[in-house]
Amino acid sequence: MRFDVFTLLPEVFPSYLETSILKRARERGLIDVHVHNIRDYTRDKHHTADDAPYGGGGGMVMKPEPVFESIESVLGLSANTENIPIILLTPQGRVFNQSIADELSKHPRIFLLCGRYEGIDERIREHLVTDEISIGDYVLTGGELPALILMDAVSRLLPDVLGDPTGAQDDSHAMGLLEYPHYTRPPEFRGWKVPDVLLTGAHVKIDKWRREQALLRTLKKRPDMLEKAELSKEDLKFLENLK
Ligand code: ADE
């Protein structure tokens, strides 16, 4: 899968992309990330990418020309461009979640446009971008961190990116519930014991315990998620018995 990122702060990206799982995924050719500096597409001698808003008021607005030109020039080099989502990261977008990550992971290529300053010229939103995504109801100084978050969440869903092939299946949110608790050695630490069932090797019992723990913590921490989760008869009975 290929990501093309359009930003005024390209230097933000390498440190994260060159470490850990995303680095390995890039080295193995599972993902490919191209970061484009919007300022390279300005034509004036000061490389102006922003300007004062019409109508007055504070702050600066990202100019349309370099944004259109950067995205169009990269699109122009590509085949089959109609189906490439051009996503603006903005607090006004639909709120990112696991099912949007899933949906995006099906695309072979995605463009990500990072907003900066107080805003972007509305014509970019109306005539260039095809989707708008927010990573939550709070305002950051720009779309760079949201773009990294989106790439991270989407990349780990791609085949072979995670070392464990079942890695993403049991994740919190993947199954509509929060994930069950994990333990590793030692079996006792400062007097706190690992639950006995996990030491038995009895997989049917362990699966049942994990499912119940996932239900319990979802009920406790995110009861809103239970309303949308796919629950079996046993799940419902377990929850009923808790009352
Ligand atoms: N840019 C600024 N704040 C943002 C947010 N919450 N999500 C996505 N892009 C943003």
Side-chain angles (χ1 to χ4, degrees):
M1 172 161 193
R2 172 169 166 163
F3 298 97
D4 286 89
V5 183
F6 298 82
T7 173
L8 288 167
L9 291 179
E11 58 282 12
V12 166
F13 291 87
S15 63
Y16 194 68
L17 295 173
E18 284 165 16
T19 45
S20 77
I21 291 184
L22 291 193
K23 173 184 178 169
R24 233 185 42 214
R26 288 173 55 238
E27 287 170 351
R28 292 158 70 210
L30 303 171
I31 62 167
D32 189 14
V33 185
H34 294 250
V35 179
H36 310 277
N37 189 347
I38 294 170
R39 207 175 294 283
D40 291 343
Y41 296 84
T42 52
R43 288 166 185 256
D44 63 309
K45 88 170 179 245
H46 299 293
H47 300 290
T48 316
D50 62 324
D51 207 337
Y54 276 122
M60 298 293 268
V61 176
M62 272 170 83
K63 290 168 65 59
E65 308 94 312
V67 174
F68 271 83
E69 288 192 22
S70 59
I71 290 182
E72 285 171 351
S73 79
V74 174
L75 271 180
L77 301 172
S78 325
N80 295 331
T81 56
E82 313 86 65
N83 299 322
I84 302 177
I86 303 174
I87 301 171
L88 173 66
L89 284 313
T90 163
Q92 298 186 16
R94 53 190 178 127
V95 181
F96 193 54
N97 60 23
Q98 195 66 36
S99 91
I100 297 176
D102 242 341
E103 168 199 322
L104 296 177
S105 72
K106 310 282 187 313
H107 288 272
R109 195 166 176 196
I110 289 178
F111 282 23
L112 298 172
L113 172 58
C114 307
R116 273 266 126 193
Y117 306 110
E118 274 67 24
I120 63 161
D121 188 284
E122 190 63 18
R123 290 164 289 191
I124 297 167
R125 188 174 257 132
E126 282 183 356
H127 303 294
L128 183 63
V129 308
T130 62
D131 196 0
E132 299 179 39
I133 289 180
S134 162
I135 60 157
D137 290 340
Y138 43 86
V139 181
L140 302 166
T141 53
E144 284 75 16
L145 292 172
L148 280 169
I149 285 170
L150 185 152
M151 287 192 281
D152 189 295
V154 170
S155 298
R156 65 188 291 291
L157 297 175
L158 300 174
D160 304 327
V161 167
L162 296 182
D164 170 6
T166 63
Q169 280 164 26
D170 283 350
D171 285 341
S172 291
H173 298 282
M175 52 178 191
L177 298 175
L178 299 181
E179 206 181 355
Y180 52 79
H182 298 272
Y183 295 88
T184 186
R185 276 174 280 272
E188 183 171 337
F189 168 68
R190 296 188 177 174
W192 301 309
K193 290 193 170 132
V194 173
D196 287 336
V197 61
L198 297 179
L199 307 177
T200 61
H203 287 288
V204 175
K205 269 196 194 151
I206 291 174
D207 287 347
K208 180 166 181 282
W209 180 85
R210 286 181 168 165
R211 182 75 188 176
E212 291 176 355
Q213 291 296 313
L215 289 163
L216 259 179
R217 37 173 71 179
T218 309
L219 178 67
K220 232 191 203 156
K221 299 185 185 184
R222 289 290 306 275
D224 58 300
M225 286 172 65
L226 275 184
E227 282 158 32
K228 289 183 228 140
E230 262 183 55
L231 301 178
S232 68
K233 270 199 205 117
E234 288 79 54
D235 293 338
L236 291 168
K237 209 160 97 197
F238 174 75
L239 289 169
E240 193 54 41
N241 285 339
L242 292 174
K243 288 184 188 157

